[in-house]
Amino acid sequence: MEQTTGGLPGSSLAIREQDKSALESIQFNQEIQGIMDPPPENASSFTALLELPPPQAVELLHSPDCGGAAASSASAKSLCQINNQKPYLLHSFSGNLSFPANAALIERAAKFSVFAGVNSNPEDSNVVGRNSGVNLDKVKNEPPESDSNPSPMQGCVSDPTVENSNQRAAKRKEREKKVKGCSKKSKGAADEASGEAEKLPYVHVRARRGQATDSHSLAERARREKINARMKLLQELVPGCNKISGTALVLDEIINHVQSLQRQVEFLSMKLAVVNPRIDFNLDSILATDGASLMECNFPSTVAPLMWPEIPVNGNRQQYQQQWQVDAIHQPAWGREEGNHNFITPDNSFLSYDSSANSATLHSNQLKMEL
Amino acid sequence: MTPIIPTANNPASATKLRFARRFLRSLSKMSKTRPSCPSSICVKKRSEGLKMAAYWCMARSVGSRRAWSRAILMKLSRGRQQHPHHHNFSMKRKIRRPTWLGKTKKKQKKKRNITCSSSSYDDEDEEEIMKRQTEKLREVVPGGKLMDICSLLEETAHFVTCLADQVHVMQTIAHRYS
């Protein structure tokens, strides 16, 4: 079976060698013809010799077009197959056997689409081609060898198969690529905003051009975009971070800002601890009226007239005036963004703290006096 | 003067109002329960108690929506459970305070060192710098140790806004009554 895949020089050599063996095979055929007379009885053994499936062998033997000649030709043909195909034999038998043999083979060959296009070659090559094709069908499982050694006789047969298989493989690959591309495009189409789709359980990420398309890298990219979006948010919140570039410095600024806010809370709690004892129940009502003012940041103007009767503090008007001045400075700060007043308030808190400390000392003095 | 019912134009202001109300109520309670003593120790205790009260009120007004508010509530409720009889916030001083509540000068020094060294570090050490800073951020933001970077940044953003509101309210109150 492997002689069909032999190269050009190899095939020519094989043919010469086959010349010598052809005579021997002819004699052998004649002997077999004698054996062949009772065909059905020997069919099983003969098919075993032929290495053909029994029904096909029977068909060959009992082909309607030819009688014994067909049988002999079929046997010769089958012997050719057994003897690793001696195409040269057919030349010798072509006179009597070619047509009926060809008929039997044509029926088989007709089943194979490979031979549909093989018409231009002469009979010899046709027959050889068909034989080789038949053997090729059996040898179909050895594509690489056929691919590697294309001969003109075999090439016309092997190439179509090989080309077909190659084309099919190529088409499959192209289809797969297209499918992959389509899937990615569909993913991209479904993608709304990769960085902002945080509410969705699945984040659709578009694979950009020139970037890796692994699932891992896509997930990492989505994660990075998420983190960058949140960093931008923080930059907007924290004053002075817009100008800074670089995550490390921005994070530094954020940490500083948070710590400064916490320090302010501590200062204010100290302040309130000192101030606290004077607070009355009017707080809630005052707060209700001042709630709007808190939001509008019109604090000093609205609260100023209310403050005086409420606070039962005596003799500290000078400090209060100072504080009102401070608050007047405060107000535009509160009206602006938080950043500004955060910078200004520490000073004010210090000032007010000093004033409150003064008031506290004054109060302590008053208490001592009373005691 | 009729109490004007403030309409919250945005949810941030609603939180602010809620905090303001709670804080004032807690202030009035504290002023009632504890006599005002001018001594420095007393003032310190009160200030720390006020600080805790401020954070607690903020966390309550935010609710359980945010991880940091939940963390604060958990920590403070644990403190309360340990001292059920004492409603004074000053007792919580003895409890191990969470690091985000304590502001020491050591942190400032560390901060300075990092800011100085970050400029001199190579790109290879950027990862280390980032790790250090994220750790610092986790310490500063309550409940930050359990979160990944994404949620940590989100929580930090909300925490910053709430802290700013808190500071604003406390300033107005302090200025009003000082």
Side-chain angles (χ1 to χ4, degrees):
Chain A
M1 308 300 171
E2 293 176 356
Q3 281 191 356
T4 56
T5 60
L8 273 168
S11 62
S12 60
L13 283 170
I15 288 165
R16 284 173 195 169
E17 287 170 2
Q18 287 166 7
D19 288 336
K20 296 173 186 176
S21 58
L23 295 166
E24 296 170 3
S25 63
I26 290 165
Q27 294 170 358
F28 188 64
N29 287 334
Q30 288 172 352
E31 290 173 0
I32 286 171
Q33 281 178 12
I35 300 165
M36 279 287 290
D37 290 332
E41 293 177 359
N42 295 328
S44 60
S45 60
F46 197 66
T47 53
L49 284 171
L50 291 176
E51 295 178 1
L52 283 174
Q56 290 182 4
V58 168
E59 283 181 10
L60 283 172
L61 293 169
H62 295 283
S63 58
D65 293 337
C66 50
S72 65
S73 69
S75 66
K77 291 278 161 62
S78 57
L79 278 170
C80 289
Q81 291 171 0
I82 291 165
N83 293 326
N84 295 326
Q85 189 198 2
K86 296 171 184 179
Y88 187 70
L89 276 171
L90 299 169
H91 292 288
S92 58
F93 290 130
S94 61
N96 294 327
L97 307 170
S98 61
F99 293 107
N102 287 336
L105 280 172
I106 285 163
E107 288 177 1
R108 291 187 71 185
K111 296 174 191 174
F112 308 110
S113 60
V114 174
F115 300 97
V118 181
N119 293 321
S120 58
N121 298 324
E123 283 184 356
D124 299 335
S125 60
N126 267 337
V127 171
V128 169
R130 282 170 202 151
N131 268 332
S132 63
V134 165
N135 288 326
L136 258 184
D137 293 330
K138 293 176 187 175
V139 185
K140 246 182 188 177
N141 296 328
E142 299 174 3
E145 292 173 357
S146 62
D147 294 342
S148 60
N149 296 316
S151 63
M153 290 186 285
Q154 298 160 356
C156 62
V157 173
S158 61
D159 283 340
T161 51
V162 169
E163 283 171 5
N164 281 338
S165 61
N166 280 336
Q167 283 169 6
R168 280 171 207 161
K171 279 175 188 172
R172 273 175 221 152
K173 283 174 190 172
E174 287 172 4
R175 270 177 231 155
E176 285 172 2
K177 281 177 190 171
K178 282 176 189 173
V179 163
K180 280 179 189 173
C182 288
S183 66
K184 273 166 205 160
K185 283 174 190 172
S186 65
K187 269 187 189 175
D191 166 26
E192 294 174 349
S194 60
E196 297 171 2
E198 297 167 3
K199 298 173 186 175
L200 301 171
Y202 293 103
V203 178
H204 297 278
V205 182
R206 184 190 297 271
R208 291 175 202 157
R209 184 182 173 141
Q211 289 184 337
T213 53
D214 298 342
S215 62
H216 292 292
S217 54
L218 281 173
E220 269 188 44
R221 202 180 309 130
R223 190 170 157 269
R224 262 179 271 149
E225 285 176 5
K226 234 181 173 183
I227 290 173
N228 287 334
R230 281 169 196 184
M231 286 290 292
K232 277 182 191 173
L233 265 177
L234 272 173
Q235 270 187 310
E236 288 167 17
L237 276 178
V238 176
C241 266
N242 290 324
K243 299 167 190 174
I244 299 172
S245 63
T247 359
L249 295 172
V250 166
L251 273 179
D252 249 356
E253 271 301 311
I254 291 163
I255 292 167
N256 290 347
H257 186 67
V258 171
Q259 284 174 342
S260 73
L261 283 173
Q262 287 174 342
R263 263 178 271 140
Q264 279 182 22
V265 169
E266 201 176 352
F267 278 132
L268 287 168
S269 67
M270 286 278 281
K271 200 170 147 189
L272 283 171
V274 173
V275 173
N276 207 6
R278 299 180 221 124
I279 293 170
D280 298 337
F281 270 107
N282 295 327
L283 282 171
D284 292 330
S285 61
I286 291 163
L287 183 64
T289 56
D290 292 340
S293 69
L294 270 173
M295 300 310 118
E296 297 166 4
C297 300
N298 290 328
F299 168 65
S301 56
T302 53
V303 178
L306 300 169
M307 284 293 292
W308 287 105
E310 302 296 340
I311 295 173
V313 178
N314 304 319
N316 291 328
R317 288 199 177 184
Q318 289 179 358
Q319 292 171 355
Y320 286 122
Q321 284 172 0
Q322 287 173 6
Q323 284 187 358
W324 290 131
Q325 288 169 5
V326 162
D327 288 333
I329 298 165
H330 241 296
Q331 188 212 0
W334 286 343
R336 289 175 210 157
E337 288 179 6
E338 293 165 351
N340 291 329
H341 84 75
N342 278 335
F343 289 120
I344 295 169
T345 45
D347 302 331
N348 284 329
S349 65
F350 280 122
L351 285 171
S352 52
Y353 185 64
D354 289 334
S355 59
S356 62
N358 291 334
S359 64
T361 53
L362 278 170
H363 275 288
S364 64
N365 290 331
Q366 284 177 3
L367 283 168
K368 282 177 186 173
M369 292 280 285
E370 289 171 5
L371 287 169
Chain B
M1 128 246 346
T2 55
I4 302 161
I5 300 166
T7 53
N9 296 327
N10 45 343
S13 64
T15 314
K16 214 172 171 181
L17 277 170
R18 262 179 277 154
F19 165 71
R21 282 188 183 147
R22 274 183 217 265
F23 189 58
L24 283 169
R25 270 180 234 149
S26 63
L27 271 179
S28 59
K29 276 184 195 174
M30 282 184 72
S31 64
K32 277 186 192 175
T33 53
R34 268 191 281 163
S36 61
C37 47
S39 64
S40 58
I41 299 165
C42 205
V43 167
K44 277 183 188 174
K45 283 183 186 177
R46 285 169 65 84
S47 67
E48 287 195 22
L50 265 177
K51 193 171 68 176
M52 297 286 189
Y55 282 117
W56 184 82
C57 292
M58 198 63 198
R60 278 298 301 270
S61 51
V62 168
S64 308
R65 281 177 274 152
R66 287 281 159 180
W68 63 266
S69 63
R70 273 175 266 150
I72 292 175
L73 290 170
M74 286 281 288
K75 285 170 191 169
L76 292 181
S77 65
R78 248 184 269 154
R80 277 190 179 176
Q81 283 172 9
Q82 288 184 13
H83 300 270
H85 301 290
H86 298 276
H87 294 288
N88 296 332
F89 288 101
S90 62
M91 291 304 294
K92 289 183 184 126
R93 225 177 79 197
K94 293 175 186 174
I95 301 159
R96 189 195 297 176
R97 227 189 295 154
T99 49
W100 54 267
L101 285 177
K103 291 156 288 289
T104 58
K105 290 179 184 175
K106 289 179 191 174
K107 281 186 183 177
Q108 293 177 12
K109 284 179 188 172
K110 275 186 193 172
K111 193 201 331 162
R112 280 178 210 152
N113 285 335
I114 285 167
T115 48
C116 290
S117 57
S118 62
S119 55
S120 61
Y121 274 25
D122 296 338
D123 291 336
E124 300 171 353
D125 294 328
E126 265 187 23
E127 288 187 15
E128 290 183 11
I129 294 170
M130 289 291 290
K131 280 182 192 174
R132 237 179 286 150
Q133 285 176 339
T134 47
E135 277 180 28
K136 268 185 86 183
L137 197 58
R138 280 176 207 272
E139 287 172 22
V140 167
V141 174
K145 290 182 183 176
L146 306 168
M147 295 188 274
D148 58 329
I149 292 176
C150 267
S151 44
L152 179 68
L153 291 175
E154 204 179 335
E155 295 291 322
T156 312
H158 194 259
F159 187 56
V160 161
T161 49
C162 290
L163 262 184
D165 291 342
Q166 187 177 344
V167 163
H168 187 212
V169 168
M170 286 175 80
Q171 276 171 351
T172 52
I173 293 169
H175 281 98
R176 210 183 302 167
Y177 298 114
S178 59

